Amino acid sequence: MTPPLGFRADLARWRQLVAPDWIAALVAGAPVEAAPPEEWRLFEVGCDDLDAFGNGHIPGAGYLDTMRFEHGPLWNKVDDTTLERLLCELGIRHDTTVVLVGRNPLAAARVAHLLLYAGVTDVRLLDGGFDAWRRAGLALEAGPGRCWPAVARFGATLPMRREYLLNMAATRALPAHGDATLASIRTRAEYLGETSGYSYIDARGDIPGALWGQAGADGDVNSMSAYQDAAGCMKPASEIAAMWEAGGIVPGRRTVFYCGTGWRASLAFFYAWLMGWEHIAVFDGGWCEWSRDPANPVVCRVSCPPPPSSRSGSSRSTCCRA
């Protein structure tokens, strides 16, 4: 099927990346192309951003905080029982259409990945995030967000797509299978081992055998400029695929994305999913978890200091992380 006007013709899952005017029409109750088949929910995703949300958000949006979906010190996802309970409290079943918006699009991508892992079958992301809405000059409303009634059950066995997320043990086992690619979605300086990228991660270096999937500007773990244009919208799929191919990351092999703690990897995963890549996953723990275990091998592509005697790193200074 040829995507209708307003959707990306270069994406296999073109329905899942939406524009501001599509959301505006949906909220207004106007007919839209690729309309949700059943009930839908609109959420802005943030990290300790409730005050900003209250000052002005997309009309009809609820607010989701990533702190409810992940926890320190590793910032891995909550356990499956907690995830299922949270989704039911939010009024989300497996067959609910969920539209996500982020002031930081990486936060929205993090939740999008976890919804897909859980088994929500229709997850959509605003291309360009909240900034795209503001650039379009569309209305905002202040005050608390919308709350939907809780549902009694998710309606399916969670997780329905367990293969979309790998833990430490599964990631360690990847080399033995020989058919998987670890894609490091980190800055060049992080990939080389010049910096850890984070105030709360001590170790520098990377996972041996990982290929560089790129990310954004050095020194900014919220930048995904290798994947997004100047407006923060997804670059053409052909450009992303060519970038990956140049780095040895190709479709047909199982591709496991990781970064520091999951946000940038989740956006790379979501873009690959939009592009129709099927055998994809996120290593949830990323470099944060991998580097804390002294039993794990580490490669430094530049001269790195010996690992610190203490890897506590139990605090963070900001929610803007990836």
Side-chain angles (χ1 to χ4, degrees):
M1 175 181 177
T2 300
L5 185 65
F7 288 88
R8 295 272 298 259
D10 61 333
L11 299 177
R13 293 186 169 99
W14 51 266
R15 293 176 180 83
Q16 314 311 131
L17 192 68
V18 297
D21 57 353
W22 184 89
I23 294 180
L26 184 68
V27 169
V32 294
E33 297 282 1
E38 300 291 343
E39 292 188 355
W40 56 274
R41 308 280 186 262
L42 170 65
F43 291 102
E44 180 178 316
V45 183
C47 180
D48 201 21
D49 282 338
L50 186 57
D51 287 345
F53 176 86
N55 290 333
H57 54 265
I58 297 176
Y63 176 75
L64 295 184
D65 200 300
T66 58
M67 299 282 276
R68 300 184 70 187
F69 287 83
E70 57 184 10
H71 56 80
L74 300 177
W75 304 106
N76 286 354
K77 77 165 188 70
V78 296
D79 63 79
D80 290 342
T81 299
T82 301
L83 179 59
E84 182 169 10
R85 182 175 67 249
L86 173 58
L87 296 181
C88 290
E89 289 174 357
L90 294 168
I92 298 174
R93 288 173 42 88
H94 73 98
D95 53 359
T96 304
T97 296
V98 181
V99 184
L100 299 174
V101 178
R103 291 170 198 255
N104 181 344
L106 300 182
R110 171 64 161 163
V111 173
H113 169 251
L114 293 180
L115 293 180
L116 291 171
Y117 161 83
V120 179
T121 55
D122 190 3
V123 179
R124 310 196 191 195
L125 197 66
L126 173 58
D127 195 17
F130 185 71
D131 284 347
W133 182 272
R134 291 193 295 188
R135 283 195 304 272
L138 295 166
L140 297 174
E141 70 177 10
R146 181 171 178 179
C147 294
W148 285 271
V151 294
R153 57 187 60 85
F154 184 62
T157 301
L158 186 154
M160 292 179 65
R161 301 305 302 266
R162 185 179 297 276
E163 71 275 15
Y164 280 170
L165 187 144
L166 268 62
N167 60 17
M168 175 77 85
T171 304
R172 283 193 185 117
L174 287 176
H177 297 288
D179 61 349
T181 297
L182 261 177
S184 180
I185 310 301
R186 307 174 74 202
T187 65
R188 181 178 183 276
E190 289 173 274
Y191 179 71
L192 293 177
E194 295 173 348
T195 176
S196 76
Y198 303 82
S199 62
Y200 54 93
I201 300 178
D202 293 323
R204 294 165 13 190
D206 210 351
I207 302 175
L211 302 179
W212 188 36
Q214 302 197 36
D218 279 342
D220 185 357
V221 295
N222 291 289
S223 171
M224 285 290 279
S225 56
Y227 291 78
Q228 297 173 326
D229 62 22
C233 294
M234 180 183 177
K235 286 183 176 180
S238 59
E239 290 187 20
I240 295 174
M243 175 184 71
W244 280 339
E245 184 176 8
I249 302 167
V250 295
R253 290 176 57 85
R254 189 181 189 195
T255 303
V256 180
F257 301 99
Y258 72 94
C259 54
T261 60
W263 285 22
R264 289 175 291 179
S266 293
L267 188 67
F269 170 96
F270 196 81
Y271 284 172
W273 182 75
L274 292 175
M275 292 159 60
W277 288 38
E278 297 299 337
H279 306 293
I280 53 177
V282 170
F283 167 35
D284 193 26
W287 177 244
C288 184
E289 183 176 12
W290 185 273
S291 65
R292 291 187 184 214
D293 189 336
N296 285 333
V298 169
V299 60
C300 276
R301 298 175 178 91
V302 296
S303 178
C304 290
S309 58
S310 171
R311 295 175 183 258
S312 58
S314 59
S315 64
R316 59 179 180 169
S317 59
T318 175
C319 281
C320 292
R321 50 179 192 76

